Amino acid sequence: MGDALKNLLGVNSTTSSSSSSAKTSSSSATPSATATPKASSTTASASDTATKAAKKTTDNATSSAADTLAKATKAANQAAATATATASPSASSTDTPYPCPTHDAQALANAQAQDTSSLLPDTPWTLKTDLLTLTGLDYKGIVEVRTHNGTVKKVLKFTATGVDIKNLHQIVDGPNGTKSHVQAAAGSTSTIKDGTVTMYTESLKGNLFGLIPITFTPNSPPPVNVPVAFFTNVTVIQAGQFGGTLTVPGMHVYNSN
């Protein structure tokens, strides 16, 4: 049975064969045993190389991410500074428009006299409102108008087919420092409808589209003509106005000194 097992396992029963087999086995085992440390060395070397490569990649990625973040932060800060500088007019210049030039000498020089349906009041009136919405709007440019006492002045001419005025408060200067007020009910919206209204404006100050602080005057006219616009926190100095039907909900009229 022993020989049979040896034969089954490929081992001869002779001593020389056993010795040869042992040598062969030993010879086969030795390289295997020798190969194991080499494989470990190679594995360790490969592991070190991979670790170094991974660390380098990580360092590079971290550096790249840091650079990208720094660049993005710098760009964002520059954009914010630019937006702030652009959107916020200088406190020393109340007529700084956005985003148009501060003065259009040619437009002022070319201002044409207007033949209004009647002479304008000698004193302009002031409109204050939380929200002014103009539809069917058309900016006609800088024109000249004449008041009752013969004064000629340059104004901005606008026409519109619809005007909504939230929390209307109109103020007219009277004699001896008095003021006349027309005020709508709190929270109400006054309207001008039924035809085209023509406005001769000395100044329009507010936040265009609720975002951009502007002051439009003949020295700083609107940069573009748009069919619809709205302004928040508005103060308008109006030289005169014609056309349309004004409706003021809960109108309250009073005087003050």
Side-chain angles (χ1 to χ4, degrees):
M1 182 178 291
D3 292 338
L5 288 174
K6 289 177 182 179
N7 290 332
L8 180 64
L9 295 174
V11 180
N12 293 327
S13 59
T14 61
T15 304
S16 61
S17 296
S18 298
S19 175
S20 174
S21 177
K23 287 180 181 179
T24 302
S25 176
S26 175
S27 176
S28 299
T30 301
S32 176
T34 304
T36 301
K38 288 183 180 179
S40 299
S41 176
T42 302
T43 303
S45 177
S47 177
D48 290 344
T49 302
T51 301
K52 290 178 181 179
K55 186 176 184 304
K56 183 176 181 181
T57 301
T58 302
D59 290 344
N60 290 341
T62 302
S63 177
S64 177
D67 290 344
T68 302
L69 179 60
K71 290 177 182 178
T73 302
K74 183 178 179 181
N77 290 337
Q78 289 175 341
T82 301
T84 300
T86 304
S88 301
S90 170
S92 62
S93 176
T94 58
D95 288 345
T96 301
Y98 179 87
C100 56
T102 57
H103 184 71
D104 190 340
Q106 192 63 44
L108 282 171
N110 292 338
Q112 299 294 311
Q114 291 292 286
D115 184 14
T116 57
S117 56
S118 64
L119 295 176
L120 273 58
D122 294 330
T123 303
W125 49 271
T126 300
L127 170 67
K128 291 183 177 292
T129 171
D130 295 338
L131 174 62
L132 175 65
T133 304
L134 304 167
T135 56
L137 178 62
D138 190 9
Y139 169 55
K140 301 291 189 178
I142 303 169
V143 299
E144 288 184 345
V145 294
R146 186 180 296 274
T147 69
H148 280 285
N149 65 12
T151 300
V152 174
K153 54 186 174 183
K154 290 179 172 61
V155 295
L156 303 173
K157 181 180 180 181
F158 297 95
T159 61
T161 56
V163 180
D164 290 345
I165 309 165
K166 185 174 182 180
N167 291 325
L168 174 148
H169 184 192
Q170 182 176 313
I171 306 165
V172 180
D173 291 335
N176 303 318
T178 61
K179 296 181 183 297
S180 297
H181 302 259
V182 176
Q183 200 161 6
S188 68
T189 298
S190 302
T191 61
I192 304 177
K193 297 180 179 179
D194 303 328
T196 299
V197 56
T198 301
M199 297 163 282
Y200 297 103
T201 304
E202 295 188 23
S203 172
L204 191 163
K205 183 177 182 179
N207 297 320
L208 177 60
F209 301 121
L211 297 172
I212 307 168
I214 57 87
T215 300
F216 294 148
T217 70
N219 286 325
S220 57
V224 293
N225 193 8
V226 295
V228 178
F230 71 87
F231 306 82
T232 58
N233 300 323
V234 185
T235 299
V236 181
I237 300 176
Q238 205 82 307
Q241 184 172 301
F242 302 94
T245 301
L246 172 63
T247 302
V248 182
M251 184 171 63
H252 176 46
V253 180
Y254 62 96
N255 296 320
S256 68
N257 294 323

